[in-house]
Structures are given as structure tokens and as C-alpha cells.
Amino acid sequence: MDVVSFARGIPGPDLLPSEEFGRCALAAARKDGARALNYGPPSGYPPLREWVAARHGVAPERVILTTGSLQGFNFVAREFVRRDATVFVEAPCYDRSLGILRSLGARTVAIPVGEDGIDVEGLAVALEATPGEKLVYTIPTFQNPSGHTLGRAGRERLLDAARATGAVVLEDDPYGLLRFEGESLPQLFELARGEDAIFLSSFSKTVSPGIRVGYVVLPQELVGAIERHVLENYVSPSIFVQAALAEFVHEGYFEPNLERAREGLRIRRDAMLAALEAEAPDGAAWNRPEGGYFLWLDLPDGVDAAALLERGNEAGVTFVKGSDFYLDGGGSNAARLAFSFATAEEIGVGVERLAGLVREAAGVAA
Ligand SMILES: Cc1ncc(COP(=O)(O)O)c(C=O)c1O
């Protein structure tokens, strides 16, 4: 039996611009091979850096292109741990970032995320109570893992609380451009006018994860410190891939590709919602994200996601158990479902299998 995977947050093959990127790779080697095929600046291929900087309305010096945005997170986290900062994270939170913080021995405070994003009042109280340097790590738009989004008022409040306590905000936003319905919201970085805010994003979800290009936009005063972390790690990132990506954006492929990704993701999200509506037993609850890759499934009382997952392979469906997204407890009764990879048809089959498992575990008749 083919296993339907709701586990990995990766794009389906139809969402990848193979043809277009292939053309751009060839053009990059032909047009600018002398630069593209050599070592380059540690902060990345200058024309792409300039394109990113222009999109965010900052000087190119404030942009560092990294080998995926998780690497940018790693550099920023390292710097703040070195400064003995307390790092505020969301609960649940992207598991790989949590893993990095854990391995760095970071001092962390977890703030719950609900239907409307991070609990900003709880965050404000926790910030007030914490002396010293502070970093607030948040994924405010189509959060990984929950799919939840912080509204406009919440964003303003979060920034007020950070400003009042001298905290730096680290906004991780790989999914913001993948909105397929509803009104788009300003980034925290935009609302803060780039002050005391760091913006992290990626081309993994807007172009391709295989190219491994992400970036971080920094306040000027942090640029030197983060560049030192870059230099401790490598000579330069993959300049050739960045040159091909520069060609991709300059040839006008970026927006049409985004449109294609949005449409493909909307179809998949709708398939997952329809299947859950039809199949999920009483007591299960889920959200309806307006973009991104994920939704969050709360299981009926007493159903343990880890036990369910153990039976998943046999039943032909996988997901990530909610507890993986918490630093110290929580989420045992929930699951992250990625709708980004499987086809709409496979999603229907996968949800049916999952619902069968949940019913069995909850002792509910079909
Ligand atoms: C919130 C978040 N940050 C960072 C990343 C890592 O992205 P990249 O592929 O750019 O390293 C992901 C990937 O899933 C993510 O969901």
C-alpha cells in the first residue's frame, strides 16, 4: 500500500518550476559564469541580494543570503545565545528551530499559540518579567506547525510589547506569500519599519527547497555580528544557485510561479478540509488556514497522537505528532497535517485512513 504522507512540509512535484529554473541555470553560467562559478561574497550573489533588499526597502548590506532560511535562523540564534539572551518561542513552534535552540543550550520561554496566533498579552507579561536581552521568535503567518495567523491588531500589540521591553523580534516568514484567500497582512518587519526586527524568509516555498536559498534582513547594528557567524561556517554560499535564482526573478518567473503554487496549494487545502468534514469523527477539530502548507488537527479527548502514528504506516498514512512542536510537554492530543505534497486525490484517501484510525482509537463507531 502506498503511504499517503501528511508529514513533510514539502511541495508537490507539480509546484516546482523545473523547466524555468533549468533555463535560468544555463543562462547564469553563460551570462555571468566568471562570477557565478567562482567563490563569492559570504553574504551572497550581489544581484540577488539587491533584489531582496529592494523588495524589503532596505540597503543591500542588511541582507544576508543563506543556504536556506534555517541557516539564517541558526546564525541569529547563535548570536543571541552568545549574548545570553532569553529566547521567546511559540508553543507549538517549528520543530527544527526548537532543535537548534536546544542544541545551543538557549534559555527559552514558550508562549501559547491559539487560533489567532501567539498569545500577545501573555507574551507582554512574560517580556516584562524577564530582565536582560530578549529575542522573540515568531512565525506570525500560516505558522508551521499550526497554520495559525496573527491578526493586524495582535501584530501591533506584539511590537509595542517588544519595544517597551527592548526585545528584538525575529519574524520567520517562509509562507506569507502563499496566501490563497483573505486579505494579506503587513509583516511585523514592515510594521516595525525594520527597526529592532529581523526578517527571515526563504525561496524554498516560493521557488524550490532543493536550491537551498533563504535570507535574513538585519538591523544595521547586527550585520557585522551575523557576518562573523557566516565566516565561521563557510567561504561563501552557493553563488551559482543564487545566480540562477537571480536570473529566475529578473526574467519574471517569480510571480507566475507563486500564482501556480498558491493555486496548487488551495486545491490541496480544500481537498483536506472537505475530507475532514466528511470523515472526521466527533470530537476532532481543525482550522482553515488561508495559505501556507499546514493545518492543525486536535484529536478527540483521550486519543494519543504518538500511538496513532505507530499504527499509521500500516494503515497507509503519516503525519507529525503535535508533541514534536513543544519544548516541554503539550500537543500529545494533536497532529500537524501538511497538505502541500500529496495530490488532492491522495489527500482524500489519506484522510479517510486517518479518520479510521482516530475512530478506532477513540472507540467511536463509523
Ligand atoms: C517556519 C520555517 N522556518 C524555516 C524553514 C526552513 O526553510 P529553508 O528550507 O529555507 O531552510 C521552514 C521549512 O519548513 C519553516 O517552516
Side-chain angles (χ1 to χ4, degrees), residues 90 117 138-143 148-150 155 171-173 188:
E90 298 173 320
T138 175
I139 307 163
T141 313
F142 313 135
Q143 197 227 23
H148 293 322
T149 292
L150 181 64
R155 288 173 193 237
E171 176 177 26
D172 189 359
D173 184 33
L188 289 168

Side-chain angles (χ1 to χ4, degrees), residues 6 92 115 145-148 272-273 275-277 279-289 294-300 303-305 308 317-323 325-326 331-338 350-351 353-359:
F6 299 143
E115 196 61 46
S146 68
H148 293 322
M272 187 168 271
L273 291 176
L276 284 167
E277 203 56 59
E279 300 287 342
D282 285 352
W286 57 92
N287 54 329
R288 183 181 200 284
F294 308 106
L295 64 74
W296 189 252
L297 177 67
D298 286 311
L299 298 164
V303 176
D304 179 55
L308 214 58
V317 62
T318 60
F319 55 87
V320 182
K321 58 187 193 311
S323 55
F325 303 102
Y326 287 81
S332 61
N333 180 231
R336 183 191 78 174
L337 303 186
V351 169
R353 291 174 183 169
L354 180 59
L357 281 179
V358 176
R359 263 197 298 272

